[in-house]
Amino acid sequence: MPIPKQVRILYLNRHDKLERTLFRLKQGYELQFRLGPSLQGKDIHVHTNYPLDTHKFERHQFHLLNWQNTSGGDDSDKYCEIIVQMSGSFQFHFTEGNNQKESSGYIIVDPILHVGHDNQVLTLDSICAQTFLAKCLGPLDEWEDRLNVSKHSGYNMIHFTPTQTLGISRSCYSLADQLELNPEFSRADKTFNWNDVAKLVEKLKNEWKVLCITDVVYNHTAANSPWLKKHPECSYNIMNSPHLKPAWLLDRALWHLSLDVAKGNYQGRGLSVHIENEHHLNIIRQIIWEDIYSKLRLWEFFQVNVDKVVADFRNVLINGEKKKCDTKQNLKVIQDPEFKRFGCVVNMSLLLKMFVPHGKSAHEIDECCGWVFRKMEELNMERYHEVHSHQEQAVNCVLGTITYERLAGHGPKLGPVTEKDPLVTRYFTYDFEEVPFEEEEPMMYLPEKAAYFMAHNGWVMGDDPLRNFAEPGSNVYIRRELICWGDSVKLRYGKKPEDCPYLWAHMQKYTEITAKVFHGVRLDNCHSTPIRVAEYMLDSARRLRPNLYVVAELFTGSEDMDNVFVTKLGISSLIREAMSAGDSHEEGRLVYRYGGMPVGSFAQLSVRPLLPKIAHALFMDVTHDNESLVQRRSAHDALPSTTIVSMACCASGSTMGFDHLVPHQISVVEEERLYPKYNPNALPDSPGELSEKSGIIAGKRAINLLHRELGAESFSQVYVDQVDEDIVAVTRHSPNIHRSVVAVSRTAFRDPTNSHYKTELPTMCIPGKIEEIVLEAMTVQRESAPYKKDKDFINGLPQYTVDIREHLQLNQSRIVTAKETSKERNDYVYEINFEHFPPGSVIIFRVSLDPEAQYAVGILRYHLIQFNPFYEAGSIRDLKAPPALTQSFISTTASLSLSDLNMLLYRCDFEEQEDGAGCYNISNFGPLKYAGLQGFLSVLADIRPKNDLGHPLCENLRAGDWMMDFISNRLIARGGALEVVGKWFEAMFSYLKMFPRYLIPCYFDALLIGAYSVIMEATLDRMSSFVQNGSTFVKQLALASIQMCGIGRFPALPQLSPSLKGVPYRLNYITGEKEQCCASLAAGLPHFGAGLFRCWGRDTFISLKGLLLVTGRAPEARNIILSFASTLRHGLIPNLLGHGIYARYNCRDAVWWWLQCIQDFCTLVENGEDILKCTVSRLYPTDNSPALAPGTVEQPLYEVMQEALQRHIEGVEYRERNAGPHMDTRMRDEGFNVSFGVDLETGFVFGGHRYNCGTWMDNMGESDMAQNRGIPATPRDGSAVEIIGLCKSTVRWLTSLSKKSVYPYTGVKGQLKGKEVFITYEEWDKKIQDHFEKGFFVSGDPNDPNEKYPNFVHKKNIYKDSYGASSPWCDYQLRPNFPITMVVAPELFTPEKAWKALKVVEDHLLGPLGLKTLDPDDQVYCGFYDNSVDNDNFNIAKGYNYHQGPEWVWPIGYFLRAKLHFSKMIDEKLYEDTKYLVKHVLSHHYDHLSKSPWKGLPELTNENGAYCPFSCETQAWSIAAVLDVLYEL
């Protein structure tokens, strides 16, 4: 069996916001786009920039994807696909018709990394990365010796800070030339270039199996970059960004303040060069406000020249022309784009509209100009206040910076103010000769100088990372909110390469050089890098290295915002910092957060929905931006914390210096010393050399190798246990081989040498069999000289090392003792006692299942291979298989009948109770919906995707074997083919019961899923080609025929003729005698599943075509038709069947639905007309005969049909047998009187009266409080429209049959005007045809001669619900019944009139799942059905409004079929548009069906599709009606 292809399905829905949702895929996966409910039936086009075929990726080039599986009647299986074969970020969007983009999103495809000469795959979860500051590696020919430390420490990836020429600050991230290798890597006699670096990188990949990545810095360049002098347009300077002029002026003023303070010019005011206290800060605040702001007058850059505006206004008043303007605008200051003092303006036209002089005299004009003057002063004052708030923030930020840099205990304590260490970092470059401040402002307006006043880069705390803080509209620089990097200039790309050609080209070359040499990149300062720039550069890099590994560290403050960068840039891993954890509990939580599934997780299906994920993590114990762990916590914490980090199921990383315990942060700016080289014999205090005994290197090597092993071998499940406040246990588990590694770490967030730690530690339990101790290690002190910071080499604490022992047996441990505490049911549990486990220690166990459990797992996996080859790993061939397992499950299920499948899959609680049992009940959850497999799988379907292992069902499985025994024992007790299946489950469960309890839920699910998939295939193979070739929707609906059609303990149907062939028999469970066991249809579940109330004539025959004929179940359909035929009495078949003995003959429509089904049977089934001759054993051959035994009186079916028609023509009046309150407590005495007949003038069947309800809208009032007891809510007496349609369909069909001599009768005898007449079916058909639209169409024309009651018309262009009702206004109510007639007798309708009527239904009655049963404009409409409410409201008490508004599902099928029929008659385009509508409407049913635990469609919903708790959860006719639509499509 081939390994199934991994397919992920992304459902598209209208209004989805997916731009910030992270979808990750692996190469080789198939991504399918499918339409969600809101888009099915719509003209949707999906576009993507994923390249088709072998075309290269172009971000802005989108392709239209072609839909597949479009031939079905619905859109449930329609999809378009991408087979992802390349890594990166790819966008998709969809449109409807020719409209604009509706919604869009991104998919991220992980790169595939290779190492070694043989290109072994390095999984992302196996990465162990270490950061090196490139400038500390020395000449290139010494790198290998220094990097050897990383190799011997077990790392497989090295991250270099930038290797280019550095700027004057010597910061690793301030690059002077992005295209040149740092010349410091060369020697006087040897110059190295990029080719030499590339050779080293390739050697490390092939020989060391180590990949190399480096940083790319796009956001800034060194202030002394030579190319920047030639191309100042690449910066934000005050010439191309004049909005920065006020900020530049403030920056210069603060610089001069620094110089003055440094010179001692403010000592007279109490401010010396030493800023030491709050008093000094207050003096600075005062100086800024009084000396600087007052002189700068920054507000003038934001104000208008009042005199000039007034003069211009006066001039226009006297001489100018007024222009039209939008007077809805507010008058405001329009900012001068060049930011000159008083350069702002206002809208003069608006000013002229607002201020109009009373006349033209000089005095009146002066008066008006005075108004304008005051308004301008007011506007200027508003701008003044705005700038004042900027200045307040600027002062606060300046003082905050000074406080941190000079006063704070955790700050750098810069010392005296000097030119080198000014009060605050300058925000702009200034490369000209220093001049007095007063002479600097004019320089702003000199282009040759202004272009070189360039803004520095930095970061803004809490800022929107998607906003460029240097662009117009941002006030970051004037408010001094930038934490500034004074060595770097922020780069100004613009929005596209054409905006700054040199910069884009320069950075693209830089990117290409990097991509050629290195295997991946770290995006420095990613959150401040313009996304469009990073996209462009990474696209260039991936063209050269398709499997580029991209990492970044984001400081956006939100996962939602992180996803913006991850999705658009295709970031492979996000750097996550363990140093952000304040205690061991938080550190453990981060392990759980950043990778892996819970232990015992469910095996996910190979074809499943694409779910959002969090970004893959590169989890680092420390980054080069963090302060040293020795400073922050303690040296003892290095080993346990790095172990916790390495046990995370993601990439792990560290920074060179962490492992050999460098006790300070290695500054990316100031550090100039070299890293030590590797020497296995290095002494502890040898500053330039390291060995395994240095710091924790020996421990780190073992831990890194273990991390790589766990990642490569898919130990993908994680469990984190907080043993106590300092001890964290992390388990990594393999779901394939069920082995685990448990790492227990005792952290030391506080220094153990001067902090108290507990000596008595809690015990810990490890389930399973401990195979070995992988390692145990302690941080220990040794004899050495005290630490002294070396001047040449980056040295660590020499006094610490790791005492490590590897691959031990339990009894060899010095840290723990262990005893086996439980062996019950093959559950080994070891109780671990920590004998000597000081802070700074770790112990790692390798654990397997006990041998018997491991064997049972292997055997069960072997038997599961038949369902999924995934289980081949870890399987053991079953050489002693029990008899039940010696054949495949396909063979085991081969002899199951469809009725057996009803028992195997379904049966609700009421059905099971009939057999003395019930559905399985789960504590804290309740009973399942079905006793069969679907009951369990419906719950598991919700649990599985979320891995909700805490669900009560999982708790139940872990607690005992009751659920497994229920499934197998229930089937075994049934005997026959079900017993064989039950024994198969029993045998499979016997292995599962030997598993550790935590594994039982996932394997229980796998077993049921595998069995269910085989059963589904077997079930569908026995159905019609329409079902077998149909969509998923069709198949799910077809399964409802299994759900609804079954055989209970007591046969629900009357017995058929003993002479009839093809009738199923069984032995009675009590007498042992042979009895008929025909399958019957339940009306709905759970309320109508068993007993007397299971079978209803009307429900059965509305449902029979869809559930049995369309699905290919003709034998069951035949037996049901003939069984009901046997009960014919008074020319009717019963409403409530009651086994035939307790039948109620109180409905007028069931017989017509029965006749329609006979017609459908003859039409749809091969040789279907043979049914007309089938023998019917009459239960009641006369109206008054007692129930007769089968075979007593027998007739062919056509005679029974003829009797029904003849009795209608003759007319019938009778009183129900056993009438009275003991039979029906709701009915008035008059209601038991039944009458019906045919109007021989019109051919219309009529019947009923105001006290009974003989159609499907049959709710009888039962509230004494509301006084509606015994009053039908919808009597629908007279001629109900759907009965007329069914009658017309029948007589039309019989006309045809009689002409072919298939039906021996040509008509019926009746009384017309006192004379007996013979009416042929052809004549009857014509009468209805001639009178239907005259009697039923409501034109709305008051002069319509056919309209008896024009005053009752409140909806025109519809068809009446009835004709001749005792309450005439009822005829005119808009209800969903006339579309039924349109389907069964479309010839009665003028297509154009029919279409208008259907439009009214669509506009007023159509809901999400059903049709409203009454016009919402009707005064008695109420769309919410609540049968529990009893009050004095006549219209709703005790659910009186059952058919007065709630939205019933089954009529929607007829509405949609009518739409399809008449649109096709009218216009081909209209038909195509209607098909879209039908598919869209049906999408809601598919959505409901997919999500429903009942796997069905409800009887009804409340208004607008709201859930109705009083409805059957799954209803036969609802499902059948939708199947009928799909069959026609």
Side-chain angles (χ1 to χ4, degrees), residues 325-549:
C325 69
D326 182 3
T327 54
K328 294 179 182 179
Q329 291 182 4
N330 291 323
L331 185 67
K332 60 183 179 180
V333 173
I334 300 170
Q335 181 61 52
D336 171 26
E338 293 302 316
F339 279 77
K340 301 182 294 291
R341 289 186 186 272
F342 299 117
C344 299
V345 296
V346 293
N347 185 328
M348 185 59 69
S349 298
L350 187 57
L351 201 62
L352 291 164
K353 283 281 187 183
M354 292 178 65
F355 297 97
V356 180
H358 296 309
K360 295 184 180 180
S361 69
H363 168 72
E364 288 165 327
I365 288 176
D366 286 345
E367 180 187 40
C368 188
C369 288
W371 300 336
V372 171
F373 179 89
R374 286 189 289 276
K375 183 62 178 177
M376 293 304 100
E377 289 287 333
E378 179 187 324
L379 291 176
N380 272 354
M381 185 55 66
E382 289 176 7
R383 302 306 293 270
Y384 172 83
H385 288 305
E386 287 178 25
V387 175
H388 190 271
S389 71
H390 296 332
Q391 292 178 154
E392 283 185 324
Q393 176 69 354
V395 171
N396 292 335
C397 289
V398 166
L399 297 180
T401 300
I402 295 171
T403 300
Y404 169 72
E405 293 183 343
R406 288 183 156 80
L407 301 182
H410 61 282
K413 294 289 186 78
L414 291 182
V417 177
T418 64
E419 187 172 341
K420 179 178 178 296
D421 292 319
L423 279 173
V424 287
T425 304
R426 288 193 286 185
Y427 273 19
F428 295 87
T429 62
Y430 185 90
D431 294 332
F432 301 97
E433 184 181 346
E434 292 288 351
V435 297
F437 175 68
E438 292 73 15
E439 298 178 20
E440 290 182 344
E441 181 172 349
M443 297 168 69
M444 291 199 306
Y445 304 103
L446 302 175
E448 67 276 10
K449 291 191 175 182
Y452 293 95
F453 299 147
M454 304 174 183
H456 289 306
N457 196 23
W459 64 284
V460 182
M461 191 174 294
D463 194 34
D464 179 359
L466 298 181
R467 184 186 73 151
N468 188 330
F469 57 74
E471 292 283 351
S474 169
N475 296 306
V476 162
Y477 281 87
I478 193 172
R479 291 166 67 87
R480 304 293 295 187
E481 292 171 332
L482 185 70
I483 299 169
C484 184
W485 303 324
D487 59 345
S488 300
V489 168
K490 186 168 181 65
L491 294 173
R492 182 176 182 268
Y493 288 87
K495 294 184 178 179
K496 55 188 181 303
E498 294 78 8
D499 293 340
C500 193
Y502 179 84
L503 180 57
W504 288 77
H506 179 79
M507 288 302 190
Q508 185 175 9
K509 288 178 190 173
Y510 162 48
T511 302
E512 290 169 349
I513 290 170
T514 303
K516 286 176 184 176
V517 175
F518 295 96
H519 305 107
V521 295
R522 174 185 176 272
L523 298 172
D524 179 61
N525 200 221
C526 180
H527 57 281
S528 293
T529 302
I531 286 182
R532 58 186 173 274
V533 173
E535 285 177 332
Y536 183 88
M537 301 306 164
L538 288 175
D539 290 349
S540 298
R542 288 189 173 109
R543 278 193 281 271
L544 295 169
R545 191 177 289 277
N547 280 299
L548 186 76
Y549 182 56

Side-chain angles (χ1 to χ4, degrees), residues 1054 1125-1128 1139-1141 1145 1177-1181 1185-1190 1193:
S1126 72
T1127 65
L1128 188 82
H1139 305 307
I1141 305 299
Y1145 294 86
S1177 189
R1178 294 293 298 273
L1179 195 60
Y1180 306 109
S1185 70
L1188 301 181
V1193 175

Side-chain angles (χ1 to χ4, degrees), residues 309-320 348 362 365-366 369-370:
V309 172
V310 173
D312 291 344
F313 178 78
R314 182 188 300 275
N315 184 49
V316 175
L317 275 183
I318 297 170
N319 304 314
M348 185 59 69
I365 288 176
D366 286 345
C369 288

Side-chain angles (χ1 to χ4, degrees), residues 600-605 860 864 867 871 933 936-945 947 949 953-954 957 963-964 967 985 989 992 999-1013:
S601 288
F602 293 94
Q604 301 298 326
L605 304 177
L860 189 67
L864 291 175
F867 306 131
Y871 293 103
L933 298 185
F936 301 90
L937 286 164
S938 287
V939 181
L940 287 166
D942 287 335
I943 297 172
R944 189 185 311 111
N947 261 318
L949 294 169
L953 181 143
C954 299
L957 283 167
M963 197 179 299
M964 293 182 270
I967 291 172
F985 275 107
F989 287 149
L992 185 54
L999 288 178
I1000 287 178
C1002 64
Y1003 276 95
F1004 176 83
D1005 177 62
L1007 197 160
L1008 259 61
I1009 280 286
Y1012 184 78
S1013 64

